[in-house]
Amino acid sequence: MKNFDYYMKLPYRIVIKPSVEGGYVAYIPELKGCITQADTLHELAEMIEDAKAGWIDLALQDGKKIPEPDDIEEYSGKFNVRIPKSLHKDLVLKAKDEKVSLNQMTTYLLAKGLNSKVKI
């Protein structure tokens, strides 16, 4: 049965960012509006759990559908992408320079880009 305890145990993704006012902000993307702020990361961990509990409790009381987190097992870790031959060559040469595989180089560059402060 999908009750309060069921939803609280689900592994929701928590996003943490520095706050412009100081401290930190945390939110759960699947639970729209589930957000909190604290001065320290320790406080933030407690606060986001409290915010999640309040969000879930209110949604259950209101009879709203509660989204569940994505299942990591849904993703194979593989995808195909078509790129220009010149980019393929550049990636292969960069991987050779670094003495790593093309897969390792591509994974590194994707992760680096994903975590950059540049917004797309």
Side-chain angles (χ1 to χ4, degrees):
M1 183 174 163
K2 294 184 179 183
N3 58 16
F4 178 81
D5 291 331
Y6 169 82
Y7 289 107
M8 285 300 292
K9 290 178 184 174
L10 292 177
Y12 287 100
R13 181 172 61 102
I14 298 171
V15 177
I16 299 172
K17 295 187 176 195
S19 171
V20 293
E21 297 91 23
Y24 302 92
V25 172
Y27 63 93
I28 299 174
E30 292 91 355
L31 307 179
K32 300 292 183 205
C34 184
I35 187 169
T36 193
Q37 186 170 356
D39 291 329
T40 68
L41 290 172
H42 179 74
E43 291 173 317
L44 193 66
E46 294 174 8
M47 298 284 289
I48 194 61
E49 284 302 308
D50 188 52
K52 179 172 77 169
W55 195 102
I56 290 169
D57 186 45
L58 190 58
L60 286 169
Q61 287 178 37
D62 292 346
K64 292 185 178 176
K65 182 177 182 336
I66 300 174
E68 295 186 18
D70 287 339
D71 185 358
I72 194 71
E73 293 175 11
E74 290 179 15
Y75 304 99
S76 69
K78 296 185 247 176
F79 70 97
N80 293 320
V81 61
R82 299 216 182 274
I83 59 175
K85 290 178 182 181
S86 59
L87 178 56
H88 189 185
K89 175 187 170 192
D90 291 344
L91 286 168
V92 168
L93 293 175
K94 181 70 173 167
K96 282 183 181 179
D97 287 346
E98 298 292 329
K99 296 180 178 43
V100 296
S101 71
L102 180 58
N103 276 344
Q104 289 172 312
M105 178 56 63
T106 304
T107 300
Y108 167 76
L109 292 171
L110 284 170
K112 184 177 175 185
L114 187 62
N115 293 317
S116 76
K117 294 184 185 239
V118 177
K119 297 296 180 195
I120 298 175

